Amino acid sequence: VCIRPVPMRRVDLTTGAGEVVYVPCGHTLASVCPSCAERKRRLRAVQCRQGWHLTTEPVITRADPDVEQRAWMELRAHATAARDQASADGTAEGEGPEFWDAVVRDLDHELERSGVRGALKTGDESRGRRTRSTRRRQDAPDLPRRPVDSRTLGKVFRGRDGKTFRPSLFLTLTLDSYGRVRSDGAPVDPDGYDYERAARDALHFSKLVDRFVQNLRRFVGYDVQYFATVEPQRRLAPHLHMAIRGTISRAELRQVVAATYHQVWWPPTDRVVFEGERLPVWDAAAGPEGGYLDPATGEVLPTWDEALDALGADADAEPLHVVRFGRQIDAQGVLADSADSRKLLGYLTKYLVKGVAECHQASTDAQREHLDRMAEALRYEPCSPTCANWLRYGVQPKNPRKGMTPGFCKGKAHRREHLGYGGRRVLVSRKWSGKTLADHKADRKAWVLARLAEAGIPVTNPTDPTAIHIWERAGPGDPDVKPTEQRLLLLIGERIERRCQLDAATRTPTPELSATAEAA
């Protein structure tokens, strides 16, 4: 059971009755809650297994918008029309464009809360979008481009005996070398190791993965589906394990990897402008919502948009960084329901219950020094347009606010336990299994309820589907909230009872199973 159950108060709006329910914390790290992390890992394994070797196209069913979602969307349409009208009239006071922009942002938040996916942009935002040339770099090979079909299944092969099989692929991609390393991952020459490039590659690794998938789909000509996990190597560089539905030749994979890159078009960071005690100061009167000033001259620092405009006006400008994969590629063919498939499935998900820095523990002085140097390189490296480290290089971050200090950005990528990688550990394409993670969880629950119903075993504490409930966090000082020890004993008792019910249900033969057994 969960070792950190959260007390939640559930109130029935019809009767007004309330009760305290102890909900699992749902954490994904075993160091925080082993049982919840293992449950999450097994659910991911189920998702990977169900989508890896599909023989039929997954059916994606999209629910129609409900009454609440339609109402919010109608209000947003009216607010957008009012915003466009105010912008055309040039209204500067009262209900001007800024007022309606704030209304649209609030309505977008309500749409997201109601379950609507995607993002909408106003007409003014779409017109102000910054574009760059899509011409490929001269140091990257050209990649043929084919029209992408909507199919997601790979090729079917037929053996000499007439038996057909549809193999899939397990792919591992790594980043380039930053210097020679020992077997424990520590560099042979720490002073010659390129920590700056290693830090930037880790920060932008997720963008490189997205670019690789895009290029792969354009090259092979169909909608390639994947289940990927990101893990660190012993040298602390992230690398990718990817389960791909269908098979692709190794020569084609090498061609796509060699042609894949991601350019980071950000302002230059080769010159430190502010450091130590001399840092930019906040002025609430600078700009519409405040900004940062040079402490010596009092000049307002260039905004993020102004810095990008200056970069785009320079014809000889180069990107801040270019991310590429290394030359090492490992691709294995996998058949459905084979020993290799089960082994690689466990290999894909075994590190999901650990943090990025927990996968390989530093046990020697060289490893600890390597980890310290990597963390120091990440401290002042900008992680995003909103990173506070841009002040160090004389540029205001995007959407600045008071209290930002270089070297103390709260971004996930700067934390020591993430080693520069701030993206998601699991990357799943939309048509992988045709279901979301919540759908897979609901399938497991439906299977258990069906087994109990077939065996005639009543469900413990059933929930009335017609009742309307509201949930709120119960405080630890509430008189009806049990201490932690009693919560754990209560949850253990409930879990034992449910396990006994499920064992009894699976041992009880149903009429359908009995008829099948008699026929056999």
Side-chain angles (χ1 to χ4, degrees), residues 271-284 286 290-302 380 387-397 400-407:
R271 186 173 68 92
V272 178
V273 181
F274 302 101
E275 63 178 339
E277 299 295 331
R278 184 175 175 271
L279 296 176
V281 295
W282 173 261
D283 186 2
Y292 283 90
L293 309 179
D294 188 323
T297 63
E299 297 181 358
V300 180
L301 299 183
Y380 292 106
C387 181
N389 287 338
W390 286 115
L391 295 174
R392 176 180 173 88
Y393 307 105
V395 178
Q396 293 194 65
R401 62 186 183 276
K402 184 179 180 180
M404 304 181 77
T405 305

Short mmCIF file of all heavy atoms in Angstrom, two decimals, residues 271-284 286 290-302 380 387-397 400-407:
data_model
loop_
_atom_site.label_atom_id
_atom_site.label_comp_id
_atom_site.label_asym_id
_atom_site.label_seq_id
_atom_site.Cartn_x
_atom_site.Cartn_y
_atom_site.Cartn_z
N ARG A 271 29.54 36.26 -23.37
CA ARG A 271 30.05 37.38 -22.59
C ARG A 271 29.18 37.58 -21.35
O ARG A 271 27.97 37.78 -21.47
CB ARG A 271 30.06 38.65 -23.42
CG ARG A 271 30.73 39.85 -22.73
CD ARG A 271 30.86 41.00 -23.70
NE ARG A 271 29.56 41.56 -24.03
CZ ARG A 271 28.97 42.57 -23.38
NH1 ARG A 271 29.59 43.11 -22.32
NH2 ARG A 271 27.80 43.02 -23.75
N VAL A 272 29.80 37.50 -20.18
CA VAL A 272 29.10 37.72 -18.92
C VAL A 272 29.04 39.22 -18.66
O VAL A 272 30.08 39.89 -18.59
CB VAL A 272 29.79 36.98 -17.76
CG1 VAL A 272 29.09 37.27 -16.45
CG2 VAL A 272 29.83 35.48 -18.04
N VAL A 273 27.82 39.75 -18.48
CA VAL A 273 27.62 41.19 -18.27
C VAL A 273 27.47 41.52 -16.80
O VAL A 273 28.04 42.50 -16.30
CB VAL A 273 26.40 41.68 -19.08
CG1 VAL A 273 26.21 43.19 -18.89
CG2 VAL A 273 26.57 41.35 -20.56
N PHE A 274 26.71 40.72 -16.07
CA PHE A 274 26.45 40.98 -14.65
C PHE A 274 26.78 39.72 -13.86
O PHE A 274 26.34 38.62 -14.20
CB PHE A 274 24.98 41.36 -14.43
CG PHE A 274 24.54 42.56 -15.22
CD1 PHE A 274 23.81 42.42 -16.39
CD2 PHE A 274 24.86 43.84 -14.79
CE1 PHE A 274 23.40 43.53 -17.11
CE2 PHE A 274 24.45 44.95 -15.51
CZ PHE A 274 23.72 44.80 -16.67
N GLU A 275 27.53 39.90 -12.78
CA GLU A 275 27.87 38.79 -11.90
C GLU A 275 28.27 39.33 -10.54
O GLU A 275 28.49 40.53 -10.37
CB GLU A 275 29.00 37.94 -12.49
CG GLU A 275 30.30 38.69 -12.65
CD GLU A 275 31.40 37.79 -13.18
OE1 GLU A 275 31.28 36.56 -13.04
OE2 GLU A 275 32.39 38.32 -13.73
N GLY A 276 28.35 38.44 -9.56
CA GLY A 276 28.73 38.84 -8.21
C GLY A 276 27.69 39.73 -7.57
O GLY A 276 26.48 39.45 -7.60
N GLU A 277 28.15 40.86 -7.00
CA GLU A 277 27.25 41.81 -6.37
C GLU A 277 26.61 42.77 -7.36
O GLU A 277 25.63 43.44 -7.04
CB GLU A 277 28.01 42.61 -5.30
CG GLU A 277 28.58 41.78 -4.18
CD GLU A 277 27.49 41.12 -3.35
OE1 GLU A 277 26.39 41.69 -3.27
OE2 GLU A 277 27.73 40.04 -2.79
N ARG A 278 27.17 42.86 -8.55
CA ARG A 278 26.64 43.77 -9.57
C ARG A 278 25.62 43.02 -10.43
O ARG A 278 25.98 42.34 -11.39
CB ARG A 278 27.79 44.30 -10.44
CG ARG A 278 27.35 45.34 -11.48
CD ARG A 278 28.57 45.90 -12.22
NE ARG A 278 28.17 46.80 -13.29
CZ ARG A 278 27.92 46.41 -14.54
NH1 ARG A 278 28.04 45.13 -14.86
NH2 ARG A 278 27.56 47.28 -15.46
N LEU A 279 24.36 43.15 -10.06
CA LEU A 279 23.27 42.46 -10.74
C LEU A 279 22.21 43.47 -11.15
O LEU A 279 22.10 44.56 -10.55
CB LEU A 279 22.66 41.40 -9.82
CG LEU A 279 23.56 40.24 -9.41
CD1 LEU A 279 22.84 39.32 -8.42
CD2 LEU A 279 24.02 39.45 -10.62
N PRO A 280 21.43 43.17 -12.17
CA PRO A 280 20.34 44.08 -12.57
C PRO A 280 19.34 44.28 -11.44
O PRO A 280 19.13 43.40 -10.60
CB PRO A 280 19.71 43.37 -13.77
CG PRO A 280 20.76 42.44 -14.27
CD PRO A 280 21.54 42.02 -13.07
N VAL A 281 18.73 45.46 -11.43
CA VAL A 281 17.75 45.81 -10.40
C VAL A 281 16.38 45.89 -11.03
O VAL A 281 16.21 46.26 -12.20
CB VAL A 281 18.12 47.14 -9.71
CG1 VAL A 281 19.42 47.00 -8.96
CG2 VAL A 281 18.22 48.27 -10.73
N TRP A 282 15.39 45.55 -10.23
CA TRP A 282 14.00 45.54 -10.71
C TRP A 282 13.38 46.93 -10.57
O TRP A 282 13.57 47.61 -9.57
CB TRP A 282 13.19 44.52 -9.92
CG TRP A 282 11.71 44.55 -10.22
CD1 TRP A 282 10.74 45.16 -9.50
CD2 TRP A 282 11.07 43.94 -11.33
NE1 TRP A 282 9.51 44.96 -10.08
CE2 TRP A 282 9.69 44.22 -11.22
CE3 TRP A 282 11.51 43.18 -12.41
CZ2 TRP A 282 8.75 43.77 -12.14
CZ3 TRP A 282 10.58 42.74 -13.34
CH2 TRP A 282 9.22 43.02 -13.20
N ASP A 283 12.66 47.34 -11.60
CA ASP A 283 11.95 48.62 -11.59
C ASP A 283 10.53 48.36 -12.09
O ASP A 283 10.34 47.93 -13.23
CB ASP A 283 12.65 49.64 -12.48
CG ASP A 283 12.01 51.03 -12.39
OD1 ASP A 283 11.05 51.18 -11.59
OD2 ASP A 283 12.44 51.95 -13.11
N ALA A 284 9.55 48.57 -11.22
CA ALA A 284 8.16 48.31 -11.58
C ALA A 284 7.65 49.24 -12.66
O ALA A 284 6.66 48.93 -13.33
CB ALA A 284 7.27 48.42 -10.34
N ALA A 286 9.42 50.17 -15.34
CA ALA A 286 10.05 49.87 -16.62
C ALA A 286 9.18 48.91 -17.41
O ALA A 286 9.07 47.74 -17.08
CB ALA A 286 11.44 49.28 -16.40
N GLY A 290 6.77 46.12 -15.61
CA GLY A 290 8.04 46.18 -14.91
C GLY A 290 9.16 45.52 -15.70
O GLY A 290 8.93 44.83 -16.70
N GLY A 291 10.39 45.78 -15.27
CA GLY A 291 11.54 45.22 -15.95
C GLY A 291 12.80 45.45 -15.15
O GLY A 291 12.79 46.00 -14.05
N TYR A 292 13.94 45.02 -15.71
CA TYR A 292 15.23 45.10 -15.04
C TYR A 292 16.08 46.18 -15.69
O TYR A 292 16.07 46.36 -16.92
CB TYR A 292 15.94 43.76 -15.08
CG TYR A 292 15.39 42.76 -14.09
CD1 TYR A 292 14.36 41.90 -14.43
CD2 TYR A 292 15.90 42.69 -12.80
CE1 TYR A 292 13.84 41.00 -13.51
CE2 TYR A 292 15.40 41.79 -11.87
CZ TYR A 292 14.37 40.95 -12.24
OH TYR A 292 13.86 40.07 -11.32
N LEU A 293 16.85 46.90 -14.83
CA LEU A 293 17.70 48.00 -15.26
C LEU A 293 19.16 47.68 -14.98
O LEU A 293 19.49 46.90 -14.07
CB LEU A 293 17.33 49.29 -14.53
CG LEU A 293 15.86 49.72 -14.51
CD1 LEU A 293 15.71 51.00 -13.72
CD2 LEU A 293 15.32 49.88 -15.92
N ASP A 294 20.04 48.32 -15.76
CA ASP A 294 21.48 48.26 -15.50
C ASP A 294 21.75 49.09 -14.24
O ASP A 294 21.42 50.29 -14.20
CB ASP A 294 22.24 48.81 -16.69
CG ASP A 294 23.74 48.61 -16.58
OD1 ASP A 294 24.27 48.71 -15.46
OD2 ASP A 294 24.37 48.34 -17.61
N PRO A 295 22.36 48.53 -13.20
CA PRO A 295 22.56 49.30 -11.96
C PRO A 295 23.49 50.48 -12.13
O PRO A 295 23.42 51.43 -11.33
CB PRO A 295 23.12 48.26 -10.99
CG PRO A 295 23.76 47.24 -11.86
CD PRO A 295 22.93 47.19 -13.10
N ALA A 296 24.37 50.47 -13.12
CA ALA A 296 25.33 51.56 -13.30
C ALA A 296 24.75 52.69 -14.15
O ALA A 296 24.89 53.87 -13.80
CB ALA A 296 26.60 51.03 -13.94
N THR A 297 24.09 52.38 -15.25
CA THR A 297 23.60 53.41 -16.17
C THR A 297 22.11 53.69 -16.02
O THR A 297 21.64 54.72 -16.49
CB THR A 297 23.89 52.97 -17.61
OG1 THR A 297 23.16 51.76 -17.90
CG2 THR A 297 25.38 52.72 -17.81
N GLY A 298 21.35 52.77 -15.42
CA GLY A 298 19.92 52.94 -15.29
C GLY A 298 19.14 52.62 -16.55
O GLY A 298 17.92 52.84 -16.61
N GLU A 299 19.81 52.10 -17.57
CA GLU A 299 19.13 51.74 -18.82
C GLU A 299 18.37 50.43 -18.66
O GLU A 299 18.81 49.53 -17.94
CB GLU A 299 20.15 51.62 -19.95
CG GLU A 299 20.88 52.91 -20.28
CD GLU A 299 21.85 52.71 -21.43
OE1 GLU A 299 21.96 51.55 -21.91
OE2 GLU A 299 22.49 53.70 -21.83
N VAL A 300 17.25 50.36 -19.35
CA VAL A 300 16.45 49.14 -19.33
C VAL A 300 17.13 48.08 -20.18
O VAL A 300 17.55 48.35 -21.32
CB VAL A 300 15.02 49.41 -19.84
CG1 VAL A 300 14.18 48.14 -19.80
CG2 VAL A 300 14.36 50.51 -19.03
N LEU A 301 17.27 46.87 -19.65
CA LEU A 301 17.89 45.79 -20.41
C LEU A 301 17.01 45.39 -21.58
O LEU A 301 15.78 45.51 -21.53
CB LEU A 301 18.12 44.58 -19.50
CG LEU A 301 19.05 44.77 -18.30
CD1 LEU A 301 19.22 43.45 -17.57
CD2 LEU A 301 20.39 45.32 -18.73
N PRO A 302 17.62 44.92 -22.68
CA PRO A 302 16.81 44.46 -23.82
C PRO A 302 15.88 43.33 -23.40
O PRO A 302 16.25 42.43 -22.65
CB PRO A 302 17.86 43.97 -24.81
CG PRO A 302 19.13 44.63 -24.41
CD PRO A 302 19.07 44.80 -22.93
N TYR A 380 24.58 28.12 -14.41
CA TYR A 380 24.43 29.40 -15.09
C TYR A 380 24.03 29.24 -16.56
O TYR A 380 23.99 30.23 -17.28
CB TYR A 380 25.73 30.19 -15.00
CG TYR A 380 26.06 30.65 -13.60
CD1 TYR A 380 27.06 30.03 -12.86
CD2 TYR A 380 25.35 31.68 -13.01
CE1 TYR A 380 27.36 30.44 -11.58
CE2 TYR A 380 25.64 32.10 -11.71
CZ TYR A 380 26.64 31.48 -11.01
OH TYR A 380 26.93 31.89 -9.73
N CYS A 387 14.20 31.68 -18.16
CA CYS A 387 15.21 31.38 -17.14
C CYS A 387 15.82 32.67 -16.61
O CYS A 387 16.12 33.61 -17.36
CB CYS A 387 16.29 30.48 -17.73
SG CYS A 387 17.58 30.00 -16.56
N ALA A 388 16.05 32.72 -15.30
CA ALA A 388 16.65 33.90 -14.67
C ALA A 388 18.10 34.10 -15.07
O ALA A 388 18.64 35.21 -14.91
CB ALA A 388 16.54 33.78 -13.15
N ASN A 389 18.76 33.09 -15.62
CA ASN A 389 20.17 33.22 -15.98
C ASN A 389 20.40 34.17 -17.14
O ASN A 389 21.54 34.59 -17.38
CB ASN A 389 20.75 31.85 -16.34
CG ASN A 389 20.94 30.97 -15.12
OD1 ASN A 389 21.04 31.47 -14.00
ND2 ASN A 389 20.98 29.66 -15.32
N TRP A 390 19.35 34.55 -17.88
CA TRP A 390 19.54 35.50 -18.97
C TRP A 390 19.97 36.87 -18.44
O TRP A 390 20.61 37.64 -19.16
CB TRP A 390 18.25 35.63 -19.78
CG TRP A 390 17.99 34.45 -20.66
CD1 TRP A 390 16.96 33.57 -20.57
CD2 TRP A 390 18.78 34.03 -21.78
NE1 TRP A 390 17.07 32.60 -21.54
CE2 TRP A 390 18.16 32.86 -22.30
CE3 TRP A 390 19.93 34.50 -22.38
CZ2 TRP A 390 18.68 32.19 -23.40
CZ3 TRP A 390 20.45 33.83 -23.49
CH2 TRP A 390 19.82 32.68 -23.98
N LEU A 391 19.64 37.20 -17.21
CA LEU A 391 20.08 38.46 -16.63
C LEU A 391 21.61 38.52 -16.54
O LEU A 391 22.21 39.59 -16.59
CB LEU A 391 19.46 38.65 -15.25
CG LEU A 391 17.94 38.80 -15.21
CD1 LEU A 391 17.44 38.83 -13.77
CD2 LEU A 391 17.50 40.05 -15.95
N ARG A 392 22.24 37.39 -16.36
CA ARG A 392 23.71 37.34 -16.28
C ARG A 392 24.34 37.80 -17.59
O ARG A 392 25.47 38.35 -17.58
CB ARG A 392 24.12 35.90 -15.96
CG ARG A 392 25.62 35.63 -15.92
CD ARG A 392 25.85 34.17 -15.60
NE ARG A 392 27.25 33.77 -15.70
CZ ARG A 392 28.14 33.86 -14.71
NH1 ARG A 392 27.75 34.34 -13.54
NH2 ARG A 392 29.38 33.48 -14.88
N TYR A 393 23.64 37.61 -18.71
CA TYR A 393 24.18 37.96 -20.02
C TYR A 393 23.54 39.23 -20.60
O TYR A 393 23.63 39.47 -21.80
CB TYR A 393 23.98 36.79 -20.97
CG TYR A 393 24.54 35.50 -20.40
CD1 TYR A 393 23.69 34.52 -19.90
CD2 TYR A 393 25.91 35.29 -20.31
CE1 TYR A 393 24.20 33.35 -19.34
CE2 TYR A 393 26.42 34.13 -19.77
CZ TYR A 393 25.56 33.17 -19.28
OH TYR A 393 26.07 32.03 -18.72
N GLY A 394 22.89 40.02 -19.74
CA GLY A 394 22.38 41.32 -20.15
C GLY A 394 21.09 41.29 -20.92
O GLY A 394 20.80 42.24 -21.66
N VAL A 395 20.28 40.25 -20.76
CA VAL A 395 18.99 40.14 -21.46
C VAL A 395 17.91 39.84 -20.43
O VAL A 395 18.12 39.01 -19.52
CB VAL A 395 19.03 39.02 -22.53
CG1 VAL A 395 17.67 38.87 -23.20
CG2 VAL A 395 20.10 39.31 -23.57
N GLN A 396 16.78 40.52 -20.57
CA GLN A 396 15.66 40.21 -19.69
C GLN A 396 15.00 38.90 -20.11
O GLN A 396 14.75 38.69 -21.30
CB GLN A 396 14.61 41.33 -19.73
CG GLN A 396 15.05 42.65 -19.16
CD GLN A 396 13.88 43.57 -18.93
OE1 GLN A 396 13.01 43.29 -18.10
NE2 GLN A 396 13.86 44.67 -19.66
N PRO A 397 14.70 38.03 -19.18
CA PRO A 397 13.99 36.80 -19.55
C PRO A 397 12.59 37.11 -20.07
O PRO A 397 12.05 38.20 -19.88
CB PRO A 397 13.94 36.01 -18.24
CG PRO A 397 14.93 36.66 -17.33
CD PRO A 397 15.01 38.09 -17.75
N PRO A 400 9.42 38.63 -17.39
CA PRO A 400 10.22 38.83 -16.17
C PRO A 400 9.35 39.16 -14.98
O PRO A 400 8.23 39.68 -15.12
CB PRO A 400 11.13 40.00 -16.55
CG PRO A 400 10.35 40.76 -17.57
CD PRO A 400 9.58 39.72 -18.35
N ARG A 401 9.88 38.90 -13.80
CA ARG A 401 9.18 39.22 -12.56
C ARG A 401 10.21 39.59 -11.50
O ARG A 401 11.40 39.29 -11.65
CB ARG A 401 8.34 38.03 -12.09
CG ARG A 401 9.14 36.79 -11.75
CD ARG A 401 8.26 35.61 -11.42
NE ARG A 401 9.05 34.45 -11.03
CZ ARG A 401 9.59 33.60 -11.89
NH1 ARG A 401 9.42 33.78 -13.19
NH2 ARG A 401 10.29 32.57 -11.45
N LYS A 402 9.75 40.19 -10.47
CA LYS A 402 10.64 40.66 -9.42
C LYS A 402 11.25 39.46 -8.66
O LYS A 402 10.58 38.46 -8.43
CB LYS A 402 9.86 41.55 -8.45
CG LYS A 402 10.71 42.17 -7.36
CD LYS A 402 9.87 43.06 -6.45
CE LYS A 402 10.72 43.68 -5.36
NZ LYS A 402 9.91 44.55 -4.46
N GLY A 403 12.51 39.63 -8.27
CA GLY A 403 13.18 38.61 -7.46
C GLY A 403 13.98 37.59 -8.23
O GLY A 403 14.52 36.65 -7.62
N MET A 404 14.11 37.71 -9.54
CA MET A 404 14.89 36.76 -10.33
C MET A 404 16.38 37.02 -10.15
O MET A 404 16.83 38.17 -10.23
CB MET A 404 14.50 36.85 -11.81
CG MET A 404 13.03 36.64 -12.10
SD MET A 404 12.60 36.73 -13.85
CE MET A 404 13.18 35.13 -14.40
N THR A 405 17.16 35.96 -9.89
CA THR A 405 18.59 36.08 -9.64
C THR A 405 19.33 35.05 -10.47
O THR A 405 18.98 33.86 -10.44
CB THR A 405 18.90 35.85 -8.15
OG1 THR A 405 18.11 36.75 -7.36
CG2 THR A 405 20.37 36.09 -7.87
N PRO A 406 20.34 35.45 -11.24
CA PRO A 406 21.12 34.47 -12.01
C PRO A 406 21.78 33.43 -11.11
O PRO A 406 22.30 33.75 -10.03
CB PRO A 406 22.16 35.34 -12.72
CG PRO A 406 21.60 36.72 -12.72
CD PRO A 406 20.79 36.83 -11.48
N GLY A 407 21.74 32.19 -11.55
CA GLY A 407 22.31 31.10 -10.78
C GLY A 407 21.36 30.46 -9.81
O GLY A 407 21.72 29.47 -9.16
#
